[in-house]
Amino acid sequence: ETGVTQSPTHLIKTRGQQVTLRCSSQSGHNTVSWYQQALGQGPQFIFQYYREEENGRGNFPPRFSGLQFPNYSSELNVNALELDDSALYLCASRRQGGVQETQYFGPGTRLLVL
Amino acid sequence: SQELEQSPQSLIVQEGKNLTINCTSSKTLYGLYWYKQKYGEGLIFLMMLQKGGEEKSHEKITAKLDEKKQQSSLHITASQPSHAGIYLCGAGRSGNTPLVFGKGTRLSVIA
């Protein structure tokens, strides 16, 4: 158990819809990152939040957005869903400090877009 | 941008055999992480290597980072069915940046 939880575990949407995925970080962790993992691929970085501010973004369009709350839980929102958005979405939390900190991953949300 | 290449892509070994998975980076590695993933599930942290020549072990799994910090290997001794899964290497460009991952190595262990 990593102490990172995600909800829902599975989700089916249709093209054009919007979706919100949730993540609860491990206690004491102030940084959360979201990753998209397509089938047979490694996770791809979407964005990162530190103390409720986005402080890093991968090569994903603006329709992917997020929020981090004061209790360090977070959301990933995807608007105008496309078929290629079907993937496993992973969140990872860590305590950002002055040294390399290990990221701990949640179990993921599997999204299917029809 | 940094890229990680893992080899082999997949591996089938008989229970009790040893195996090695490699991860090669296009750039010098700052921190190299090894994770294990059961199909469709989250990533389980195994080990992190940071210094050239560093080697770490946990139970029957040993990971090494070469002196030039551009290649890492993961070695499993006397494999068991519980070792089956997808092994992913990930690297950060600096202390607090997000990780770039390889595509993973799918390991199957047969009795």
Side-chain angles (χ1 to χ4, degrees):
Chain A
E1 290 294 328
T2 63
V4 181
T5 60
Q6 291 187 243
S7 62
T9 55
H10 296 81
L11 204 51
I12 300 175
K13 292 285 189 179
T14 56
R15 260 187 319 180
Q17 284 189 311
Q18 178 265 341
V19 68
T20 297
L21 310 181
R22 294 179 174 81
C23 172
S24 179
S25 300
Q26 190 179 110
S27 177
H29 286 185
N30 55 16
T31 302
V32 64
S33 303
W34 284 90
Y35 293 81
Q36 180 195 66
Q37 186 178 23
L39 206 58
Q41 303 293 316
Q44 298 284 321
F45 171 67
I46 303 175
F47 47 59
Q48 175 175 285
Y49 277 79
Y50 171 64
R51 292 184 175 178
E52 302 173 53
E53 297 274 342
E54 183 181 303
N55 75 340
R57 190 174 185 93
N59 191 25
F60 281 80
R63 59 189 186 83
F64 284 79
S65 63
L67 285 171
Q68 186 184 31
F69 300 102
N71 65 356
Y72 301 130
S73 64
S74 66
E75 289 181 354
L76 164 65
N77 298 290
V78 187
N79 294 321
L81 284 167
E82 300 177 1
L83 297 180
D84 285 349
D85 295 334
S86 296
L88 181 68
Y89 288 85
L90 298 159
C91 75
S93 75
R94 66 169 176 226
R95 185 183 63 81
Q96 185 160 303
V99 296
Q100 190 84 10
E101 295 288 350
T102 298
Q103 293 192 45
Y104 293 94
F105 283 80
T109 293
R110 184 162 295 281
L111 173 65
L112 178 62
V113 182
L114 301 175
Chain B
S1 62
Q2 185 168 36
E3 293 184 358
L4 297 177
E5 186 170 332
Q6 287 187 238
S7 63
Q9 290 184 334
S10 64
L11 197 53
I12 301 174
V13 299
Q14 199 165 18
E15 184 177 356
K17 297 294 186 184
N18 303 336
L19 64 107
T20 299
I21 298 168
N22 294 302
C23 175
T24 303
S25 173
S26 58
K27 298 184 179 181
T28 300
L29 294 162
Y30 181 84
L32 188 286
Y33 293 79
W34 283 101
Y35 287 89
K36 179 185 175 185
Q37 183 178 32
K38 291 284 191 181
Y39 180 74
E41 298 181 5
L43 278 61
I44 299 168
F45 171 73
L46 296 175
M47 277 171 275
M48 192 269 275
L49 304 166
Q50 212 167 350
K51 299 176 183 176
E54 188 174 9
E55 179 175 320
K56 287 186 178 178
S57 294
H58 177 67
E59 298 181 343
K60 294 185 178 180
I61 301 176
T62 300
K64 299 178 185 179
L65 183 61
D66 75 345
E67 289 289 343
K68 294 183 179 180
K69 296 175 65 174
Q70 284 199 265
Q71 188 170 43
S72 177
S73 60
L74 186 82
H75 184 78
I76 298 177
T77 303
S79 58
Q80 301 169 354
S82 61
H83 288 129
I86 300 170
Y87 289 82
L88 290 153
C89 63
R93 185 168 49 83
S94 63
N96 293 302
T97 54
L99 299 178
V100 172
F101 285 92
K103 291 186 178 181
T105 295
R106 183 180 294 272
L107 171 64
S108 300
V109 180
I110 56 175

